[in-house]
Amino acid sequence: MNAEERLAQRIESLSKMFTDAEPASLRAGYLADPSAGRPVLKGSTATALVPRWNEHSSGLLVPATVQPPAPLDLGAAYLTCDEIFGVALPADYAVRQLGRLPLEGVIRFCAQVLNALALPGGSVEAIEAHFAGQWLEEPVRSRVRNLLRDESRRLLVPQAFMLLARMALEISPDTLPDDLSDVDIVGALFSLTQTMGRLPGIGPSVITDKPGTLGRELIANQHFHRSWSVPGVLARYARRWLQLPSEHHGEPGIVDLSQTYQDCTGARLEDLAAVAGYLWLCTTMGRFVIEPGELAGLAMPAERVEAVLTLITNDLPGMREAVRRERPGQRTQWSFDPFQQWPVIRLPENRLLILDPRHLISRAFGWLPIWDIEFPPPGRTKPAGHRKTVARAKQTLRHCSEIYVSEVLHAITRDEGTTRRVYDDTELKTAYTAQGQRRADAAIDYPGTWIVIEVTTTQLRRDAATAVPGESQIQDIDKLVDELDQIDATINALRGDETALTGAPAADDRRFLPLLVLPEGFPVNPITLTVIRERARNRGLFTRPDTDPVEIVDVEELEMIEALQEASGPSLLDILRGKQSGSLRNAAVRDHILHVLRVHPDAPARHGGLLDSALKPLVNALPQHHRSSPAS
């Protein structure tokens, strides 16, 4: 008797145990009505515990009640003013309230919540419950808590706090008004949600090769809410800004980014890391206002601390002026340029306020220090050949970003020793030398499939990232499609002569998976991915049956896969293939990892040493009794 027959016999035995004790007369005396979707056990009216099974593409059988997430399930909807209070507030309510609220008080109010939401390991649900209890009276408080039992609803919306802060810089007075009896900052906040996201026309509902008005808003929304881990940003900073430029010193076009930063700004890059790192460290302990003289305790000369503060801080009058001089036609509900340029606000009496720690981390450890090199602080004389210096600095950071991605790819595939799986730009150039041949940056040889990769540091321009009406988003998408041409050309070369690259006979029935890597991130969603794939198809790219749809990842997603590989998890190919056959096929790769695979990878092992390098300036600047804090 084989396994299948034994299983059938066991099922029959169990069935008799449940049904044979029922009297025959009773069994024939009633009818059971097994409703659609609710089958009953044979011989009884008992509903089957697991009525149906679904088969995944992997062959795994799961209960039909386990529904995979859809892209719409990944979003959260904020509570509107009428849901919270039971009535809609007048359209000018926020303006009237802010006109009677002191500016510093509004900024502190916004910073309190934005910093709470950014606390490492913080629970959004707990934070929302706390502020609901603090701000709202009964019966409104109970209504809101009941609404928040739906996990897809949110009370605290970062965009609303940023809009409130921006509006306050335009409207709120500097000093405290005489009458504060009926001033309502909470109502002003929630009244903004009545108009946020309201569009004059959402355009066509069918996604084609253009994002449309709704798509434009979704791209800006996802760009604003993009998530990244602070340790990951710090680790990449250490490698791209500090280590790789030194390791590749002397190569054509490579400059010392640390020295270039000091030459152009007068501030040291390590001082920027120390001061910004200390301010960020304070926010992780729940402090978003730094008292006067606290930075004097750092083991750094006061003039060097001030050189950094000159770059990343602005006072309230300066912030007012920056907001007011923004061109109205270029400002949307996603435009917060002054807060990104100056993430630290100088309050009266020499206090410093961090409005949102995310902006501080991006400003000091992401791509934005290049902005300081390109636009030195007022009063700073530009060095000779400044324009050429800026171009070389940008090229150096781009090149180091591409090298870093290559390192992650080698770590993912464990490509070491005699095993060769990743073929980099150099090998591709050696193998395919035809005149005019375009080549991708890398190709990974998996059994039966080539993953062909192009790395580009192209980022959304400001207009595209903030949903300014016009063609900016489609122009930026077309830049990405231009990069896809290099992948397509490399696929054609591999299809024609794989042996030229590998030195081994070509395998039969090869497939190709195009992969675009954007180290600085890109809002991947059903609209953008559909638009990119359609525009690529219209150019004749990836049209052969042996080629899978193009996928887009950022470097943090690659590092998630690297960490999974260290834990003997699925390969890069398995994850991409699983995504393309899953319910989130048109979402980002991280969404597939987190919500379909249901895993939350730790940081890759490489990050340990890189974090030490990134935090070294901060550790050296801390008072002696605090020096274990960043590493703890």
Side-chain angles (χ1 to χ4, degrees), residues 87-148:
V87 295
L89 294 175
D92 65 343
Y93 192 81
V95 172
R96 287 194 284 111
Q97 298 303 313
L98 289 174
R100 301 175 57 242
L101 283 162
L103 174 59
E104 183 180 336
V106 178
I107 296 297
R108 284 175 176 261
F109 172 80
C110 296
Q112 180 186 23
V113 178
L114 290 171
N115 276 266
L117 291 172
L119 282 173
S123 162
V124 174
E125 292 78 9
I127 294 168
E128 291 191 322
H130 168 76
F131 285 109
Q134 188 179 74
W135 295 343
L136 305 175
E137 301 292 339
E138 293 295 351
V140 175
R141 183 191 303 144
S142 293
R143 179 189 303 124
V144 167
R145 285 178 171 171
N146 282 325
L147 289 168
L148 291 177

Side-chain angles (χ1 to χ4, degrees), residues 5-6 12 17 24 26 58 67 81 106 126 171 201 249 262 320 344 364 366 376 473 512-513 537 575 586 588 606:
E5 291 170 336
R6 284 196 299 271
E12 178 65 22
M17 288 173 61
L26 181 60
S58 63
Q67 295 295 329
C81 194
V106 178
I171 299 170
H249 179 70
Q262 185 171 351
R320 278 193 193 276
V344 182
Q473 286 187 342
F512 302 91
L513 198 158
R537 187 177 296 108
I575 289 172
N586 290 326
R606 287 183 308 106

Side-chain angles (χ1 to χ4, degrees), residues 10-75:
R10 182 60 175 159
I11 292 173
E12 178 65 22
S13 175
L14 290 171
S15 177
K16 289 181 178 180
M17 288 173 61
F18 279 107
T19 62
D20 279 8
E22 190 174 12
S25 58
L26 181 60
R27 193 180 308 145
Y30 63 86
L31 295 175
D33 179 17
S35 303
R38 293 179 59 82
V40 298
L41 293 172
K42 180 180 178 182
S44 78
T45 57
T47 304
L49 296 178
V50 181
R52 288 176 297 174
W53 297 83
N54 287 339
E55 183 176 359
H56 283 190
S57 58
S58 63
L60 178 67
L61 293 173
V62 298
T65 52
V66 179
Q67 295 295 329
L72 192 61
D73 298 327
L74 305 181

